Amino acid sequence: MDLYSDRSWMARRKSSTQIGATAEFRAGCLAFLEYAYSHPECVNDRKQIRCPCWKCKNAKYLDRGMVNYHLLVSGFMRNQAMLNILLNCDEIDEYVR
């Protein structure tokens, strides 16, 4: 899966044949978090990033584990173009394009 050019996994969180997030979505979330945390300017002093889940909508700073949990439970915000606001980080824009 090329997570940088194909972000269709973001819309495939659930499967009709299994409980919980799909393996593809879980892998995508982990890769997204690795990408976000690889840019120090995107992480606050408490090692938190803005949570791009459907409920938080970038309004809350959370640690890696909680962001992952929120994404698995709620999915990404519907307006994925807003992800460049995610961390007030220009480099994230390259990931979501």
Side-chain angles (χ1 to χ4, degrees):
M1 171 189 344
D2 181 1
L3 298 172
Y4 299 101
S5 62
D6 177 14
R7 291 171 311 282
S8 59
W9 60 270
M10 290 176 151
R12 292 194 293 268
R13 180 172 59 93
K14 293 184 178 181
S15 167
S16 60
T17 61
Q18 71 182 45
I19 296 173
T22 64
E24 178 186 32
F25 187 82
R26 289 191 311 268
C29 287
L30 292 176
F32 174 79
L33 289 168
E34 283 298 316
Y35 186 86
Y37 275 89
S38 72
H39 294 85
E41 65 276 12
C42 300
V43 183
N44 71 12
D45 293 341
R46 297 173 64 192
K47 304 238 185 274
Q48 299 171 322
I49 62 172
R50 290 182 187 260
C51 182
C53 83
W54 173 247
K55 291 184 179 181
C56 292
K57 294 182 171 68
N58 293 330
K60 295 180 182 178
Y61 280 90
L62 300 174
D63 65 35
R64 181 189 297 245
M66 284 306 295
V67 171
N68 190 50
Y69 175 77
H70 278 212
L71 292 174
L72 294 176
V73 171
S74 302
F76 282 87
M77 294 183 301
R78 296 290 184 246
N79 185 356
Q80 293 166 3
M82 293 290 291
L83 286 176
N84 63 333
I85 296 171
L86 169 63
L87 308 168
N88 292 329
C89 177
D90 294 335
E91 285 79 6
I92 292 300
D93 192 44
E94 291 302 314
Y95 181 86
V96 297
R97 282 190 183 186

